[in-house]
């Protein structure tokens, strides 16, 4: 046999690994052969006599020989097992103590690349195999290596480069390396022979033990950012759909950490991980896919009971009384992400709707749709996160509800009027509009289970929740009451002097969720809606000014165009943020459910099944409406008015639910006993105008956008009571007790005119109005004047005042226009010229408003007199009517009409032909 063949036979022999080198193995074999040869010669020289020894001696020798063979066999078994253990450790940890020529190593079960631990080899006096006695030290040594890639050796005779094997063995980051070891150990557990299974299990436990040590004492491992590595590992595996193995790894590490909290608590271990997440998430954008991977990571954190406890502790703000501080927490940073401007008014570097005037309507629509898709996904993730914490344990439920309640209490000032007038203070004091937009959207989803039609859970709501005064932390936990300061809110009606709330032992989640959601909408949606209305108005003004500047060739045209662009970006961002379809549907469900709930409370229903509405309603002593804050009704009104202005098509899709809204308006609008605030009742008239069908919008009657609303409105079973409620609130807002009641009443009555006109065109409503007029005719001498008589009196007062004011403003406008056209303004100082222009603009706005209102008022008198005559011809009303009509005609077609001839009637909504036509109609009706 050649030397090469001899070497190959030795390297292929598994027992050669027990020797320091192949040379020692060869020397041992040679010695054994020599000893065996000597023994053979001795045996041959034995005499024949010795072979006749006694049977007993032969048997003794035989026993000794069997024992020796058995020992030799066991020794070989142990050597083979040790060799397999060595290979298994190498495969799991990719480390080795054997630096011999790769061509001399067996290729069975050996990894392609390993890190050679030379120092440990020296410490072990040249031992070149790994076993269960030294593996712990070996792994620790490997983890301390700053550059493990420098110690890579090839374990097989194949010299071909293998980047994957080199990357795995030379991994510098500890956490990914240990996770890979965990994965390899899991595989070994499933495939090794039974005799090696305990060793594989011990290796897997060793991985977990080292991961526990790394997280507990990261300072030992220089240059390793353990928290960042853990976050990156979870992100990578989430993207690769291999997250289950990471969670299994983490679960075992967490279990080890919880058993050993002497050096660091589990909370202290995971805080740096949340620090990394906070730093990264606050810079992400709504439409970045990476954001949703981070949210998936947090969803895992809020499902894992131990990490979730740390999360609810971590998100506590530094100053719980400062609303803005909640925005700086991890949960707050998530809620602060939206398509709204991060800094109000600053459109630079904003990623949405840049230069909208250069985009086609279709392009804007596509961008809006894309944002809505991301918003729906984003809100779903936030909802799942909150739901996880609410369902995980009583402790996390209490902690997250406390966070929500404290946050709302700290941001209560958002609803105050001054907050929108001082943006600098607002931004430092309260959480952002984006925060509350997302907060409200997530809470709306939490309310959906009891916002479904005919939900039995809805009527388990207990309004006394809002009357409970300050209680301590322990009571909050036991009574499920986490909102603060609600007892200071104005309620729908004042409580009676002898009325005491009957508090339950604890409140259910339906009650708390509904209050939290309505208060969040009160602080968030209401403000955003107001902003949108103001921006929309400013856009119309700017557009007009820009058009005028372009026509006159003014140098300010370009500056006005830039202002218009910026404002249009703000408007489109607001509109997109507020009109996400799923959020609107969820809000419709909630507000319709709220309407049903408040009607049932007004009815005195204390059961869980709704009671059918009928009139007259029972007179309830000590009504629970005394515990329902006004913002419940205000939110409802605000939302439907928003839909009418900016998302009218949504109303049509929800038409079947609108009967509940009509019930609510009918019950509360005309009843001071159920809703004391006249301003709020007047707002419900605007809600009625919002939900009613607007036939002037219909271009094609065959494809009606109001078909379903028209069906609901016309078939409403309580139509007579709805008409009466509308007329009653028209009368009631004459005296509200407000110092600005005179100016306010016209704004409140504006939406009532189109409603009356629509009702007059429907037989059931028209008849109910005529019945009120008939009752008034029969009771003219009553101590308390009948409702319809008071209504007509106020209607004529308004008509005289409004047209008179409109005439005065038109006269002033004509004078200013003449001065400007003659060039009299050219010689004025810039300040005086600006004052003149400002006056012209102001008079124009006032004239337009008064013209619109006078047109509506006279128009209403025209159609009422077509079928109601008996009242108007009563002596005390006839004289007033004649004087009023003659006064109007004198100005409109008499010698004074020249004073009203402004340049453009349509600019100020001045319609003298229509007014004269309506006046003549009234004359003819009453003739």
């Amino acid at each position: 046999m050649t030397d090469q063949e001899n070497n190959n036979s030795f390297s292929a022999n598994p027992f050669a690994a027990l020797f320091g080198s192949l040379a020692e193995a060869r020397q041992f074999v040679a010695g054994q052969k020599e000893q065996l040869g000597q023994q053979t010669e001795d045996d041959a020289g034995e005499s024949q006599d010795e072979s006749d020894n006694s049977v007993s001696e032969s048997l003794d020798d035989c026993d000794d020989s069997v024992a020796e063979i058995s020992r030799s066999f066991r020794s070989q078994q142990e050597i083979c097992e040790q060799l397999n253990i060595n290979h298994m450790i190498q495969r799991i940890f990719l480390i080795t103590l054997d630096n011999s020529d790769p061509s001399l190593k067996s290729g069975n079960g050996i990894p392609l690349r390993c890190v050679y631990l030379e120092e440990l080899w020296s410490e072990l006096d040249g031992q070149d195999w790994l076993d269960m006695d030294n593996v712990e030290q070996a792994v620790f040594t490997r983890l301390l290596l700053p550059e493990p890639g420098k110690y890579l050796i090839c374990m097989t005779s194949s010299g071909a480069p293998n980047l994957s094997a080199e990357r795995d063995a030379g991994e510098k980051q500890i956490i990914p390396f240990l996770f890979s070891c965990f994965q390899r150990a899991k595989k070994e557990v499933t495939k090794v022979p039974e005799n090696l299974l305990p060793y594989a299990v011990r290796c897997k436990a060793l991985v977990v033990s080292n991961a526990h040590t790394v997280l507990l004492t990261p300072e030992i491992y220089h240059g390793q950012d353990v928290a960042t590595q853990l976050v990156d590992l979870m992100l990578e595996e989430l993207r690769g759909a291999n997250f289950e193995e990471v969670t299994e790894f983490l679960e075992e590490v967490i279990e080890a950490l919880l058993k050993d909290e002497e050096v660091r608590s589990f909370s202290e271990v995971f805080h740096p991980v949340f620090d990394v997440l906070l730093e990264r998430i606050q810079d992400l954008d709504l439409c970045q896919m990476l954001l949703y991977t981070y949210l998936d990571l947090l969803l895992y954190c809020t499902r894992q009971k131990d990490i979730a406890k740390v999360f609810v502790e971590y998100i506590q703000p530094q100053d719980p009384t400062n609303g803005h501080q909640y925005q700086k927490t991890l949960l707050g940073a998530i809620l602060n992400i939206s398509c709204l401007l991060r800094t109000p008014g600053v459109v630079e570097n904003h990623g949405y709707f840049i230069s909208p005037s250069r985009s086609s309507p279709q392009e804007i629509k596509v961008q809006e749709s894309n944002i809505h898709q991301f918003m729906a996904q984003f809100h779903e993730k936030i909802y799942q996160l909150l739901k996880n914490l609410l369902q995980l344990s009583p402790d996390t439920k209490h902690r997250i509800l406390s966070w929500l309640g404290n946050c709302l209490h700290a941001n209560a000032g958002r609803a105050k009027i001054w907050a929108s007038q001082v943006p600098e203070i607002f931004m430092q004091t309260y959480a952002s509009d984006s925060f509350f937009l997302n907060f409200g959207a997530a809470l709306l989803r939490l309310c959906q289970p009891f916002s479904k039609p005919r939900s039995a859970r809805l009527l388990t709501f207990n309004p006394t929740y809002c009357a409970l005064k300050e209680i301590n932390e322990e009571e909050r936990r036991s009574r499920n009451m986490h909102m603060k300061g609600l007892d200071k809110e104005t309620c729908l009606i004042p409580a009676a002097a002898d009325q005491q709330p009957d508090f339950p032992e604890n409140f259910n989640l339906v009650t708390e969720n509904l209050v939290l959601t309505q208060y969040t909408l009160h602080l968030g949606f209401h403000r955003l809606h107001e902003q949108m209305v103001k921006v929309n108005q400013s856009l119309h003004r700017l557009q007009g000014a820009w058009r005028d500047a372009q026509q006159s060739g003014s140098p300010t045209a370009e500056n006005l165009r830039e202002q218009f662009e910026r404002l249009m970006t703000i408007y489109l961002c607001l509109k997109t943020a507020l009109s996400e379809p799923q959020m609107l549907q969820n809000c419709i469900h909630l507000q319709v459910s709220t309407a049903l709930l408040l009607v049932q409370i007004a009815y005195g229903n204390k059961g869980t099944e709704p009671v059918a509405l009928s009139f007259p309603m029972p007179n309830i002593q000590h009504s629970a409406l005394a515990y329902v804050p006004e913002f419940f009704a205000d939110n409802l009104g605000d939302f439907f008015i928003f839909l009418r202005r900016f998302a009218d098509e949504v109303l049509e899709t929800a038409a079947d639910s609108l009967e509940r809204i009509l019930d609510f308006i009918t019950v509360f609008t005309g009843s001071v006993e159920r809703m004391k605030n006249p301003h709020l009742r007047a707002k419900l008239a605007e809600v009625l105008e919002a939900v009613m069908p607007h036939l002037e919008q219909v271009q094609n009657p065959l494809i009606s956008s109001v078909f379903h609303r028209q069906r609901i409105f016309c078939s409403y079973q309580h139509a007579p009571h709805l008409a009466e409620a509308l007329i009653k609130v028209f009368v009631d807002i004459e005296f509200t007790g407000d110092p600005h009641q005179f100016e306010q009443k016209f704004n409140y009555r504006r939406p009532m005119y189109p409603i009356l006109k629509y009702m007059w065109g429907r037989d059931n409503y028209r008849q109910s109005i005529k019945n009120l007029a008939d009752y008034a005719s029969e009771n003219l001498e009553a101590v308390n004047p009948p409702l319809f008589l008071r209504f007509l009196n106020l209607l004529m007062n308004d008509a005289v005042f409004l047209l008179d004011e409109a005439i005065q403003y038109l006269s002033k406008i004509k004078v200013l226009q003449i001065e400007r056209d003659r060039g009299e303004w050219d010689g004025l100082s810039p300040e005086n010229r600006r004052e003149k222009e400002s006056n012209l603009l102001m008079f124009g706005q006032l004239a337009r408003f008064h013209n619109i209102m006078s047109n509506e008022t006279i128009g209403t008198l025209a159609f009422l007199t077509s079928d109601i005559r008996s009242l108007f011809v009563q002596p005390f009303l006839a004289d007033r009517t004649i004087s009023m009509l003659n006064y109007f005609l004198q100005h409109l077609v008499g010698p004074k009409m020249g004073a009203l001839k402004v340049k453009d009637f349509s600019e100020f909504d001045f319609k003298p032909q229509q007014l004269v036509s309506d006046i003549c109609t009234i004359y003819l009706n009453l003739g």
Side-chain angles (χ1 to χ4, degrees):
M1 182 179 292
T2 66
D3 289 343
Q4 181 63 39
E5 289 171 337
N6 196 27
N7 279 338
N8 287 343
S9 66
F10 274 106
S11 63
N13 191 325
F15 299 108
L18 298 175
F19 297 93
S21 66
L22 291 179
E24 290 180 18
R26 282 194 293 272
Q27 185 178 353
F28 173 78
V29 170
Q32 290 296 310
K33 285 181 178 178
E34 186 179 340
Q35 186 178 346
L36 183 60
Q38 182 64 44
Q39 184 177 350
T40 304
E41 290 175 6
D42 291 342
D43 290 345
E46 291 292 337
S47 64
Q48 185 65 34
D49 293 338
E50 289 175 346
S51 65
D52 296 331
N53 284 336
S54 64
V55 174
S56 61
E57 289 175 349
S58 296
L59 289 173
D60 289 341
D61 290 343
C62 184
D63 287 344
D64 291 340
S65 177
V66 171
E68 186 177 345
I69 292 168
S70 178
R71 278 195 301 274
S72 174
F73 179 71
R74 282 200 305 273
S75 177
Q76 290 174 6
Q77 270 191 318
E78 289 170 2
I79 292 168
C80 186
E81 184 177 88
Q82 182 56 63
L83 184 64
N84 286 332
I85 290 172
N86 175 53
H87 286 172
M88 183 182 71
I89 293 172
Q90 288 178 340
R91 288 194 300 271
I92 292 173
F93 296 103
L94 304 181
I95 55 178
T96 186
L97 297 176
D98 182 6
N99 193 25
S100 60
D101 188 342
S103 64
L104 304 180
K105 298 172 184 172
S106 170
N108 296 327
I110 295 179
L112 298 176
R113 301 288 187 275
C114 279
V115 171
Y116 174 54
L117 304 176
E118 186 175 3
E119 287 186 15
L120 181 60
W121 175 79
S122 300
E123 289 177 23
L124 296 174
D125 298 327
Q127 176 180 326
D128 61 359
W129 70 91
L130 293 161
D131 54 33
M132 300 313 295
D133 293 329
N134 60 31
V135 66
E136 189 170 346
Q137 186 181 359
V139 173
F140 184 66
T141 303
R142 161 63 178 85
L143 295 179
L144 290 177
L145 291 176
E147 295 289 342
K150 292 181 179 179
Y151 306 95
L152 283 180
I153 62 170
C154 188
M155 299 297 289
T156 64
S157 55
S158 172
N162 190 307
L163 297 178
S164 175
E166 288 174 9
R167 185 184 64 246
D168 292 344
E171 176 62 69
K172 289 170 63 174
Q173 296 190 335
I174 292 181
I175 295 295
F177 172 73
L178 286 172
F179 174 63
S180 298
C181 292
F182 182 81
Q183 289 177 300
R184 291 189 288 268
K186 270 185 67 182
K187 289 180 182 176
E188 293 293 333
V189 168
T190 61
K191 72 179 185 179
V192 295
E194 192 174 346
N195 64 313
L196 291 180
L197 182 59
Y199 304 112
V201 172
R202 283 174 63 186
C203 286
K204 182 166 168 277
L206 183 61
V207 176
V208 173
S209 173
N210 274 278
H212 149 261
T213 305
V214 167
L215 289 168
L216 209 57
T217 54
E219 60 276 4
I220 295 175
Y221 306 88
H222 297 294
Q224 299 283 351
D225 187 345
V226 175
T228 299
Q229 290 177 23
L230 185 57
V231 170
D232 288 339
L233 172 67
M234 295 169 80
L235 284 175
E236 184 179 348
E237 299 305 325
L238 271 167
R239 290 196 201 102
N242 196 26
F243 195 61
E244 287 184 7
E245 281 198 336
V246 175
T247 59
E248 184 183 345
F249 172 60
L250 281 174
E251 291 292 340
E252 295 194 27
V253 174
I254 289 168
E255 187 179 348
L257 287 167
L258 291 169
K259 290 177 181 176
D260 180 16
E261 295 191 272
E262 291 183 9
V263 179
R264 270 192 181 89
S265 67
F266 181 70
S267 175
E268 290 172 316
V269 169
F270 254 84
H271 269 226
V273 174
F274 289 133
D275 286 338
V276 173
L277 289 171
L278 174 57
E279 184 181 355
R280 292 184 181 182
I281 286 175
Q282 62 191 3
D283 294 327
L284 292 176
D285 191 77
L286 176 70
C287 297
Q288 283 180 266
M289 291 306 299
L290 183 58
L291 170 64
Y292 300 89
T293 312
Y294 278 109
L295 291 176
D296 286 335
L297 193 159
L298 280 169
L299 286 178
Y300 162 72
C301 291
T302 54
R303 283 194 303 267
Q304 209 286 335
K305 63 182 188 306
D306 302 300
I307 304 178
K309 285 181 184 177
V310 181
F311 178 80
V312 291
E313 171 197 310
Y314 180 80
I315 61 173
Q316 299 306 314
Q318 292 179 348
D319 179 7
T321 63
N322 183 300
H324 185 68
Q325 289 292 319
Y326 289 85
Q327 186 178 311
K328 294 183 176 181
T329 67
L330 178 51
L331 180 54
I334 295 167
L335 292 171
N336 195 41
I337 296 171
S338 83
C339 64
L340 296 174
L341 273 63
R342 289 192 179 243
T343 305
V346 180
V347 300
E348 287 74 19
N349 301 319
H350 189 61
Y352 306 104
F353 303 110
I354 302 302
S355 302
S357 65
R358 297 188 179 95
S359 302
S360 68
Q362 184 60 30
E363 287 172 330
I364 290 174
K365 195 73 179 171
V366 168
Q367 189 172 2
E368 186 178 309
S369 177
N370 289 338
I371 294 170
H372 282 164
Q373 288 179 19
F374 280 104
M375 282 181 69
Q377 187 181 354
F378 185 55
H379 293 157
E380 178 65 24
K381 300 283 186 192
I382 300 171
Y383 154 71
Q384 287 292 346
L385 189 150
L386 294 177
K387 185 181 175 186
N388 288 347
L389 295 171
L390 288 170
Q391 293 182 342
L392 189 63
S393 71
D395 182 61
T396 56
K397 174 185 171 183
H398 169 67
R399 297 291 293 275
I400 191 61
L401 286 174
S402 294
W403 192 92
L404 298 176
N406 291 336
C407 173
L408 292 175
H409 184 59
N411 282 283
R414 281 178 58 92
K416 291 182 169 52
I417 295 173
W418 69 264
S420 58
Q421 297 172 346
V422 193
E424 297 80 11
I425 298 176
F426 179 91
M427 290 171 62
Q428 296 171 8
T429 312
Y430 304 117
S432 68
D433 292 324
S434 295
F435 181 102
F436 272 89
L437 175 78
N438 295 320
F439 193 2
L443 290 177
L444 279 170
R445 294 196 178 211
L446 282 173
C447 290
Q448 291 313 295
F450 59 83
S451 298
K452 294 174 182 174
R454 301 286 174 181
S455 169
R457 297 175 60 192
L458 176 65
L459 296 185
T460 63
F461 173 80
N462 192 323
T464 60
Y465 180 98
C466 304
L468 197 60
K469 293 182 168 58
E470 289 296 321
I471 54 176
N472 61 43
E473 190 68 18
E474 191 51 45
E475 280 185 294
R476 289 192 183 282
R477 181 189 290 267
S478 63
R479 301 186 79 159
N480 293 330
M481 202 282 179
H482 299 88
M483 282 286 289
K484 296 178 180 177
L486 287 179
D487 58 297
K488 298 179 179 66
E489 289 288 329
T490 304
C491 292
L492 293 177
I493 56 173
D498 59 343
Q499 186 174 354
Q500 292 297 324
D502 182 16
F503 297 115
E505 288 187 14
N506 54 61
F507 295 97
N508 60 18
L509 198 56
V510 169
T511 299
E512 189 141 54
N513 274 1
L514 184 56
V515 175
L516 283 168
T517 306
Q518 289 288 11
Y519 198 61
T520 302
L521 295 174
H522 173 59
L523 298 181
F525 187 90
H526 178 75
R527 176 181 153 84
L528 283 167
H529 181 196
E530 276 188 344
Q531 281 184 42
M532 198 166 168
V533 170
K534 288 176 182 176
V535 171
N536 194 34
Q537 291 169 345
S538 299
L539 274 174
H540 283 295
R541 285 197 297 270
L542 257 180
Q543 192 173 25
W546 179 25
R547 187 172 54 248
D548 292 343
Q550 279 182 315
Q551 290 172 354
S552 62
S554 171
T556 61
E558 183 58 27
N559 182 41
L560 288 169
R561 189 194 69 77
E562 289 179 7
Q563 288 182 46
F564 181 80
E565 286 276 14
R566 294 165 66 89
L567 208 57
M568 194 66 186
T569 297
I570 295 170
Y571 173 79
L572 289 171
C573 289
L574 278 167
K575 181 175 181 293
T576 304
L578 284 172
S579 60
E580 193 277 305
Q582 188 58 57
M583 181 176 72
L584 292 183
Q585 286 300 323
N586 291 342
C587 201
I588 283 177
H589 295 158
L590 180 80
Q591 301 302 359
V592 169
S593 297
T594 301
L596 171 64
L597 175 66
L598 295 183
V599 167
Q600 293 299 311
I601 293 174
Y603 217 83
N605 180 15
K606 295 184 178 179
T608 58
E609 288 295 323
V611 175
L613 182 61
S614 63
F615 291 90
M617 287 183 66
N619 185 20
I620 306 298
Q621 294 294 321
H622 298 165
S623 171
L625 291 173
Y627 311 128
V628 178
E630 284 186 347
F631 63 73
F632 273 64
D634 202 24
N635 286 345
L636 185 151
D638 214 34
F639 177 68
F640 283 100
I641 292 167
F642 165 82
L643 290 181
R644 171 70 181 94
R645 287 170 174 163
F646 304 109
D648 190 65
E649 68 283 354
V650 178
L651 281 171
E652 185 65 8
T653 64
D656 288 338
S657 304
L658 294 183
E659 189 172 351
R660 303 284 172 224
I661 304 301
L662 295 181
D663 284 346
F664 175 76
I665 294 169
T666 305
V667 169
F668 286 94
T669 303
S671 173
V672 70
E673 293 80 17
R674 291 186 279 273
M675 186 179 283
K676 184 182 179 184
N677 186 342
H679 304 284
L680 194 52
R681 288 194 289 124
K683 188 172 188 175
L684 295 188
E686 193 174 355
V687 177
L688 180 58
E689 192 254 351
V691 300
M692 67 174 270
H694 294 267
L695 296 181
E696 72 276 5
Q697 295 179 346
V698 180
Q699 302 298 320
N700 184 350
L702 299 177
I703 311 173
S704 174
S705 62
V706 296
F707 173 77
H708 294 294
R709 276 180 282 173
Q710 192 169 353
R711 173 176 55 82
I712 295 295
F713 206 84
C714 294
S715 62
Y716 183 54
Q717 60 179 324
H718 303 299
H721 301 284
L722 179 57
E724 183 180 351
L726 180 69
I727 291 173
K728 191 168 191 312
V729 77
F730 186 102
V731 172
D732 286 351
I733 58 172
E734 182 71 19
F735 303 105
T736 62
D738 191 284
H740 305 291
Q741 64 182 16
F742 187 78
E743 295 85 357
Q744 284 178 337
K745 68 180 180 181
F746 298 113
N747 282 316
Y748 287 144
R749 285 171 180 164
R750 181 201 58 75
M752 298 182 193
Y753 293 118
I755 302 171
L756 284 168
K757 185 177 181 180
Y758 183 82
M759 286 180 169
W760 192 255
R762 299 293 173 270
D763 290 343
N764 51 347
Y765 290 99
R766 184 173 187 164
Q767 188 57 50
S768 64
I769 296 172
K770 288 169 65 179
N771 291 342
L772 290 173
D774 291 342
Y775 179 82
S777 297
E778 295 165 5
N779 293 274
L780 291 174
E781 305 300 325
V783 178
N784 294 317
L787 174 64
F788 199 79
L789 184 60
R790 286 184 287 154
F791 166 68
L792 284 184
N793 187 47
L794 293 173
L795 197 60
M796 286 195 286
N797 287 348
D798 285 0
V800 172
F801 172 79
L802 289 167
L803 193 56
D804 203 36
E805 287 290 294
I807 288 168
Q808 288 186 41
Y809 286 124
L810 288 169
S811 301
K812 291 177 180 178
I813 289 169
K814 183 178 180 182
V815 170
L816 288 171
Q817 286 180 342
I818 291 172
E819 287 178 1
R820 185 183 61 183
D821 294 344
R822 286 175 180 170
E824 293 179 16
W825 290 8
D826 298 342
L828 297 174
S829 65
E831 292 80 10
N832 288 339
R833 185 184 177 94
R834 277 197 296 272
E835 184 182 349
K836 290 279 188 182
E837 288 173 346
S838 177
N839 286 340
L840 182 58
L841 180 65
M842 180 183 67
F843 291 151
Q845 291 171 345
L846 289 169
R848 185 171 183 274
F849 172 78
H850 286 87
N851 277 322
I852 291 172
M853 294 300 293
S854 62
N855 292 338
E856 295 283 7
T857 311
I858 300 297
T860 301
L861 284 169
F863 69 71
L864 285 176
T865 54
S866 67
D867 225 355
I868 298 174
R869 301 184 182 90
S870 57
L871 273 174
F872 287 97
V873 296
Q874 295 293 331
F876 64 93
L877 267 182
D879 291 341
R880 284 196 61 202
T881 306
I882 294 167
S883 299
M884 176 187 75
L885 298 176
N886 288 342
Y887 176 76
F888 291 161
L889 288 175
Q890 186 181 9
H891 283 84
L892 294 171
V893 295
K896 297 182 179 180
M897 71 179 193
L900 308 180
K901 288 187 177 179
V902 293
K903 272 192 168 184
D904 182 4
F905 286 0
S906 63
E907 183 182 351
F908 310 108
D909 267 284
F910 182 42
K911 301 175 181 177
Q913 297 93 336
Q914 183 63 49
L915 285 170
V916 171
S917 173
D918 287 339
I919 290 169
C920 292
T921 300
I922 295 170
Y923 272 124
L924 292 171
N925 288 339
L926 300 179

